Amino acid sequence: MDTPPVQHIGEFVLTKNGNLDFGEIPSEIAKIIRRQEGKIRLRIGVEIDNATGNYGEKHIERPERMEALKKCGFINARDFIEDVCGNYNAIYQGKNSSLILVKTNVEKNHIAIVKLIPYENGDFYDVLTGYPSRKSGKNKKPLLWQCQSERP
């Protein structure tokens, strides 16, 4: 399946369809998790060896992470993040006010960690990182919301 090339506008990565927004935390879910609603966006970001503060597309597309994404059928960070942020079915509490968005999968969970940031044109949830994870990996964090169809 052909996928369009990754495009950027300013510091932002665009979706396959050329949109800035990869998903959202809608008002209904925001009320449940007691957070602000908002769009989810992916920035180009930065990846510096062993540095704290790495984030975004560059951080996700480092070689070892890309190997894991390719095993799950993704060829770039954009497509992985678009899938997770557009189809998550659970939200867990992350570190330092971040949220862990989870799209459950048959073999692995697909994870995107986002954090609300202020922005001159309106606050948004910034994708810090994303990765496939063991099924048991998310159980260590407090569950904030889960899609009704996913509950046991």
Side-chain angles (χ1 to χ4, degrees):
M1 170 170 80
D2 287 337
T3 186
V6 177
Q7 295 183 354
H8 305 90
I9 185 166
E11 67 180 314
F12 294 98
V13 179
L14 299 177
T15 67
K16 284 184 255 188
N17 294 328
N19 298 315
L20 275 175
D21 302 325
F22 281 68
E24 72 177 308
I25 308 255
S27 61
E28 310 82 53
I29 294 174
K31 287 176 188 171
I32 293 168
I33 67 173
R34 298 176 186 224
R35 294 293 190 91
Q36 181 177 320
E37 65 185 274
K39 303 294 185 182
I40 302 168
R41 295 182 177 164
L42 176 63
R43 293 190 292 165
I44 296 168
V46 65
E47 173 60 30
I48 302 170
D49 290 337
N50 300 318
T52 58
N54 292 330
Y55 68 95
E57 177 188 42
K58 287 185 178 183
H59 178 60
I60 297 166
E61 289 193 344
R62 62 192 192 276
E64 65 274 12
R65 182 68 52 82
M66 280 309 303
E67 185 178 320
L69 293 181
K70 286 178 182 177
K71 287 180 183 177
C72 294
F74 296 94
I75 61 168
N76 56 49
R78 177 205 59 198
D79 293 351
F80 180 79
I81 294 302
E82 190 169 349
D83 185 50
V84 176
C85 293
N87 300 296
Y88 64 89
N89 48 24
I91 301 175
Y92 290 81
Q93 178 62 55
K95 290 185 198 176
N96 302 323
S97 76
S98 68
L99 296 172
I100 303 169
L101 307 181
V102 179
K103 178 187 175 202
T104 56
N105 190 297
V106 175
E107 295 179 23
K108 292 187 177 276
N109 288 318
H110 293 175
I111 307 281
I113 298 179
V114 300
K115 186 170 186 174
L116 185 69
I117 63 168
Y119 195 68
E120 59 194 36
N121 296 328
D123 302 348
F124 66 91
Y125 284 92
D126 189 28
V127 176
L128 303 176
T129 193
Y131 52 89
S133 174
R134 298 182 315 274
K135 286 284 198 180
S136 61
K138 65 182 174 51
N139 298 335
K140 299 174 187 164
K141 303 289 184 179
L143 177 66
L144 301 177
W145 172 84
Q146 189 171 28
C147 180
Q148 291 295 326
S149 65
E150 295 293 319
R151 294 185 179 175

